[in-house]
Amino acid sequence: MKNASYILFFFFLFQLICANTIQVGAAFPIKKIKHAIAIARNGDTIIVHKGIYREGNIIIDKRIVFLGKNFPVLDGQDKNEVLSVKADSVYVTGFKMINSGFAALDDPCGIKVYNRTFVRVINNILDNNFFGIYLQNCTKCVVKGNTISAYGKEEQLIGNGIHCWKSDSLQIIGNRIKGHRDGIYFEFVTNSIIWRNISTQNIRYGLHFMFSNDDAYISNVFKKNGAGVAVMFTKKVKMFHNYFEENWGDAAYGLLLKEISDSYIIGNHFSKIHREFTWKELAEY
């Protein structure tokens, strides 16, 4: 067993030493993102420079760092899922994903992660997508510091900002979400944390979770949503120091609890008066 560990260590060390950086952009030999992914190997870094890229559905199927410089735009042209992640340990940062397709059957997204572990989606901008970021059957993934905006008018015609299904050990941290059906949605998600997010102006709920046990929701802001938060059919919820402000939709409540047990809901704030929060204020809770 010890020899096997040494072999595995040196294998990954060799991959790190041999990793390449591939530049994509108008001023570089490689102009297309799909071309860069096709020639990349596990461990490589793809740097995409500023510009607008209309390449349909971009699929990452290798363990790479996918880095945008000066927020290059990936445009789905209202037809496609913009970025699909189908490999473990992918790191996606620094992009603007816009204009996914809109469809009720296959749920096209700005970014969707399929059945993966250790994926990081950090500091991206997502605008005018059906779903923003979607984690499907994922483990130990991080969604952090993203700005996710949509312009939904009816909940049947728009998806969720951050949608997580049948996943475990997720970290959803410091995102700003507005204009979706639900800002953040958990279903069958366990042992995960939602921390310091701002979810506002969503049609239905700022946060909605069902059948999702052993999760923690700490120092988030839910304001001007149809309703603040709905917790349903769940146990062992920990909800501390969240802010519920001006949630006055048809349902008109801050927090809905339905069939929950063994949970701790402590130190949350409910207010009719609107105010802006800074990240520093949230970090103090």
Side-chain angles (χ1 to χ4, degrees):
M1 182 64 69
K2 189 174 182 180
N3 289 336
S5 297
Y6 280 125
I7 292 170
L8 187 62
F9 171 77
F10 283 112
F11 171 76
F12 284 116
L13 182 62
F14 176 78
Q15 281 198 321
L16 182 63
I17 293 171
C18 296
N20 295 313
T21 298
I22 302 170
Q23 308 273 354
V24 180
F28 296 89
I30 298 175
K31 314 294 184 185
K32 300 290 187 180
I33 294 170
K34 287 185 176 180
H35 181 193
I37 294 172
I39 65 174
R41 298 178 297 179
N42 285 331
D44 285 354
T45 296
I46 295 176
I47 299 177
V48 181
H49 291 263
K50 188 174 183 179
I52 300 175
Y53 298 83
R54 298 184 176 98
E55 300 187 32
N57 178 215
I58 296 170
I59 300 174
I60 297 178
D61 55 2
K62 299 169 184 175
R63 180 174 53 81
I64 62 171
V65 174
F66 190 55
L67 172 63
K69 191 169 183 180
N70 297 319
F71 288 96
V73 176
L74 310 186
D75 186 356
Q77 298 180 279
D78 299 321
K79 300 176 183 177
N80 305 286
E81 183 161 282
V82 182
L83 183 68
S84 303
V85 178
K86 299 184 178 182
D88 295 333
S89 302
V90 172
Y91 184 85
V92 178
T93 186
F95 289 90
K96 184 174 183 179
M97 286 81 168
I98 66 172
N99 303 333
S100 77
F102 285 74
L105 295 178
D106 54 1
D107 297 337
C109 308
I111 304 172
K112 188 169 184 178
V113 184
Y114 293 80
N115 313 316
R116 294 297 146 190
T117 61
F118 298 111
V119 173
R120 305 289 186 267
V121 179
I122 297 177
N123 294 336
N124 301 282
I125 299 169
L126 296 99
D127 189 73
N128 194 39
N129 299 294
F130 187 53
F131 280 75
I133 299 171
Y134 194 134
L135 304 183
Q136 172 185 290
N137 195 23
C138 293
T139 305
K140 296 183 174 65
C141 294
V142 177
V143 176
K144 182 178 180 180
N146 302 282
T147 299
I148 307 168
S149 303
Y151 309 94
K153 302 299 182 184
E154 298 179 28
E155 64 180 66
Q156 298 86 355
L157 302 178
I158 191 70
N160 302 318
I162 298 175
H163 185 106
C164 305
W165 178 80
K166 201 178 180 182
S167 297
D168 183 76
S169 301
L170 305 179
Q171 297 180 43
I172 312 298
I173 302 173
N175 303 282
R176 294 174 180 262
I177 312 110
K178 71 174 182 179
H180 282 271
R181 179 195 303 153
D182 297 336
I184 303 171
Y185 180 87
F186 270 21
E187 186 172 4
F188 302 109
V189 177
T190 53
N191 303 305
S192 297
I193 185 167
I194 295 175
W195 178 43
R196 293 184 62 210
N197 302 278
I198 297 176
S199 182
T200 182
Q201 299 177 49
N202 298 290
I203 298 169
R204 189 167 63 175
Y205 304 119
L207 167 65
H208 184 194
F209 52 103
M210 304 174 65
F211 310 106
S212 295
N213 304 322
D214 298 287
D215 297 321
Y217 310 87
I218 302 170
S219 297
N220 302 283
V221 175
F222 307 104
K223 63 183 181 183
K224 294 188 175 180
N225 302 288
V229 172
V231 187
M232 302 179 180
F233 314 110
T234 295
K235 63 183 179 180
K236 298 183 179 178
V237 177
K238 293 171 283 293
M239 182 176 285
F240 305 143
H241 302 299
N242 299 282
Y243 292 82
F244 301 81
E245 296 192 355
E246 295 284 358
N247 297 292
W248 293 111
D250 294 336
Y253 48 74
L255 175 61
L256 167 67
L257 306 177
K258 182 176 181 179
E259 296 191 36
I260 72 165
S261 60
D262 301 320
S263 296
Y264 296 89
I265 301 175
I266 300 171
N268 299 282
H269 305 262
F270 297 83
S271 174
K272 184 179 178 181
I273 301 172
H274 169 69
R275 56 170 293 206
E276 295 293 333
F277 285 88
T278 66
W279 293 122
K280 182 177 183 298
E281 287 178 298
L282 292 178
E284 292 173 352
Y285 287 91

